[in-house]
Amino acid sequence: MKKLLIIDDIPLFIAGLTYYLEQHTDYEIHSVDDFYGGLLAKVSELEPDLVIVNVTTTGQLNIELIKSIVKLIPAVRILAISDFRLKEGTMNIFKSGCKGLLFKGEQAEVYLRAVQAVMEGDDFYTPDAVKIILDHFSKGNPDNLKIRQTHQFSVRELEIIRLICRQLTAKEIGNELFISEKTVDFHRQKLVERMGVRNMSGIILYAIKNKLVDVETIPLMEVSNEKSLSFNS
């Protein structure tokens, strides 16, 4: 049975989330409401598959905790839950090794989908978090990511990834590369499979995280009416 550990300093939140997840999953759920008392020892002893960490407005301690957990158990998946939507905090979470980010106040079913997605190896970020991340990388920040060559993808695939990140449609990509729309669809589906993502938003963030594109060329993404976006890292 897969093990889940919830770390939060609000016992009522832990109790509510634990109860809801117990009703909808078969995970072995553990929790701790103390960020200090031998927490890493507990993590090491439990060896959870997924850790949910609350990152508060004074979240640097929690960010360091996340980094320590990832260092302790490299295979662990971490889902951060934050009660603030500031750019600096969101980017710190994004860079810390987390596989997902939820903002407090989401509907219960979004929590469930996020937990299930991250537990299965996907990344899961809400649309607000995606906007903050893309906005950060599109404004000439000092940690801007540049194009790099990789043997994982062919030149044609890298061209299609670049055009997807510009949010061109399959028809527009075909016109740009002088190939058919059907061929573009074939390549896009192969990229989804190879990256392990679920949609075009997944391809965009995969490209950012793996430095496949110059993020200055990526326009701020218009997020759909979906309550969240799920994709693999």
Side-chain angles (χ1 to χ4, degrees):
M1 180 181 295
K2 293 182 178 179
K3 291 181 286 188
L4 184 155
L5 175 63
I6 303 172
I7 303 173
D8 198 305
D9 58 357
I10 303 176
L12 185 60
F13 176 81
I14 291 177
L17 183 57
T18 298
Y19 177 80
Y20 183 77
L21 292 177
E22 285 177 342
Q23 303 306 305
H24 296 86
T25 72
D26 59 355
Y27 305 143
E28 178 184 322
I29 301 176
H30 302 259
S31 64
V32 60
D33 60 5
D34 184 354
F35 281 86
Y36 303 97
L39 183 54
L40 289 179
K42 181 178 179 63
V43 172
S44 178
E45 178 184 357
L46 182 62
E47 293 189 344
D49 299 284
L50 169 64
V51 178
I52 298 176
V53 179
N54 176 29
V55 181
T56 64
T57 50
T58 56
Q60 190 55 43
L61 176 64
N62 310 56
I63 295 296
E64 293 305 317
L65 170 64
I66 290 169
K67 293 178 180 178
S68 296
I69 293 174
V70 172
K71 184 176 181 179
L72 182 66
I73 308 176
V76 74
R77 305 175 190 111
I78 297 181
L79 173 63
I81 299 177
S82 178
D83 58 359
F84 64 103
R85 301 170 185 245
L86 300 178
K87 181 175 181 178
E88 181 180 359
T90 298
M91 293 310 304
N92 285 338
I93 292 170
F94 180 71
K95 297 171 185 176
S96 69
C98 283
K99 297 299 184 181
L101 170 60
L102 286 173
F103 293 121
K104 283 191 173 179
E106 296 285 355
Q107 297 295 317
E109 58 267 22
V110 179
Y111 279 86
L112 177 62
R113 284 163 45 208
V115 168
Q116 291 175 326
V118 177
M119 183 68 86
E120 295 304 317
D122 290 342
D123 282 11
F124 191 104
Y125 288 80
T126 62
D128 285 347
V130 172
K131 282 185 176 182
I132 291 170
I133 293 166
L134 291 184
D135 185 50
H136 172 84
F137 283 126
S138 68
K139 292 184 176 178
N141 290 281
D143 55 350
N144 236 346
L145 307 177
K146 301 299 181 181
I147 297 175
R148 72 177 180 185
Q149 293 298 321
T150 173
H151 296 296
Q152 185 177 3
F153 300 100
S154 67
V155 172
R156 173 64 80 195
E157 288 171 331
L158 289 172
E159 288 177 328
I160 291 175
I161 291 169
R162 173 176 57 85
L163 295 174
I164 288 173
C165 288
R166 286 172 50 194
Q167 301 183 63
L168 271 63
T169 65
K171 182 177 181 180
E172 290 168 336
I173 293 173
N175 291 338
E176 185 92 5
L177 299 179
F178 303 102
I179 57 179
S180 70
E181 187 174 345
K182 185 175 180 180
T183 300
V184 175
D185 284 333
F186 171 79
H187 281 295
R188 291 200 308 189
Q189 183 57 39
K190 288 297 182 183
L191 287 172
V192 165
E193 293 173 0
R194 289 183 62 189
M195 292 177 175
V197 301
R198 298 186 179 187
N199 49 40
M200 295 305 103
S201 300
I203 290 178
I204 292 171
L205 289 189
Y206 181 101
I208 288 175
K209 293 179 77 173
N210 291 278
K211 304 180 183 180
L212 301 180
V213 295
D214 180 346
V215 293
E216 292 182 359
T217 68
I218 302 176
L220 184 58
M221 184 167 56
E222 291 295 331
V223 180
S224 70
N225 290 327
E226 296 176 346
K227 292 182 179 177
S228 52
L229 299 175
S230 176
F231 48 87
N232 191 275
S233 61

